Amino acid sequence: MLFSRWMELGRNYFYERFFLFLLVIILLVMGIVFGSLSVNSLADSQRQELTQYLKLFLQGFRQDPTAVVSDPVYAREAIAGHLKTILFLVVLGVSVIGVPLILLMIFTRGYILGFTIAFLTRQLAGRGIVFTAAAVLPHQFLIIPALIVLSVANIDFAGALIRSRAGKKPIQLSTEAVRCLGINFGALILLTIAGLIEGLLTPILIRWIAGL
């Protein structure tokens, strides 16, 4: 019963802010597309340098098979990074003028993801596809939806602040703030799980891929 209620609230929230979700998703997809295309514009020297760095990175996992690669420290660092991202988005939303930076951050995240996937698959061929599927995408499946919802929630709160200051329509800022904070907390849970995957599982998968 409670779960169905939460699902209904989530659907209503999505439909009421459909165009805002659409804008954020379009920017993310544009970033992914531009990032993947930018691989083609790399100079040969840049491509060789990045390829050499990647080979050295994988070689480091192969050299000592007994070394511990999964460490809670990595997970804590990943989670701390995600927490900083949430706080950054909240500050940008509260400031109102930071909304364009939220949109820019979404585009940049998409660009980095698109570039990473395109570079790996191009330079490592089949191994690159396996590397992407095992070491890049698992935590991104949680990070990307969380960032989309976070962006929408904080942009929406910035819009509520603007409407309340304009005074054209009564706005319950306390209700809007609680809802925004609740969504940020829910996203934090998702990003915490993503950080655990990134810090504990991903290094193990990278070691397995390095041995192929």
Side-chain angles (χ1 to χ4, degrees):
M1 190 69 179
L2 183 61
F3 178 74
S4 61
R5 176 61 177 164
W6 280 107
M7 289 295 294
E8 182 182 355
L9 289 173
R11 282 195 299 268
N12 292 338
Y13 186 85
F14 175 78
Y15 289 132
E16 290 171 3
R17 295 155 182 81
F18 175 78
F19 289 105
L20 189 52
F21 272 100
L22 185 63
L23 171 64
V24 171
I25 292 171
I26 287 174
L27 283 173
L28 177 68
V29 172
M30 286 177 59
I32 292 173
V33 171
F34 278 101
S36 60
L37 292 176
S38 66
V39 173
N40 298 324
S41 63
L42 284 175
D44 289 339
S45 58
Q46 292 175 315
R47 186 177 291 108
Q48 290 173 2
E49 184 177 348
L50 287 174
T51 303
Q52 183 64 23
Y53 174 80
L54 180 60
K55 288 180 178 178
L56 289 173
F57 175 74
L58 293 176
Q59 185 179 352
F61 280 86
R62 286 196 300 265
Q63 283 180 342
D64 187 2
T66 62
V68 176
V69 295
S70 181
D71 193 323
V73 173
Y74 302 149
R76 285 199 296 270
E77 290 176 352
I79 293 170
H82 294 320
L83 180 59
K84 290 176 184 177
T85 299
I86 293 176
L87 293 175
F88 182 62
L89 288 171
V90 169
V91 170
L92 291 178
V94 171
S95 70
V96 177
I97 60 174
V99 167
L101 290 178
I102 295 178
L103 299 175
L104 178 62
M105 193 199 77
I106 282 292
F107 178 85
T108 304
R109 283 291 187 125
Y111 184 93
I112 294 171
L113 181 60
F115 180 90
T116 302
I117 293 174
F119 182 80
L120 288 173
T121 53
R122 177 167 177 169
Q123 297 303 121
L124 299 181
R127 285 181 69 198
I129 296 174
V130 175
F131 191 100
T132 300
V136 178
L137 294 182
H139 53 278
Q140 292 295 337
F141 280 133
L142 295 175
I143 293 174
I144 294 303
L147 287 179
I148 290 173
V149 174
L150 277 169
S151 300
V152 170
N154 288 289
I155 292 172
D156 184 61
F157 183 68
L161 288 173
I162 293 172
R163 292 193 299 273
S164 69
R165 291 169 185 173
K168 295 181 179 179
K169 186 178 179 181
I171 299 292
Q172 291 284 342
L173 274 182
S174 58
T175 303
E176 295 290 338
V178 169
R179 177 164 51 195
C180 182
L181 288 175
I183 293 172
N184 278 276
F185 181 74
L188 175 61
I189 294 174
L190 276 181
L191 291 175
T192 299
I193 297 172
L196 292 173
I197 294 173
E198 192 175 354
L200 300 177
L201 179 61
T202 298
I204 297 173
L205 295 175
I206 292 176
R207 165 171 282 181
W208 171 68
I209 294 166
L212 295 178

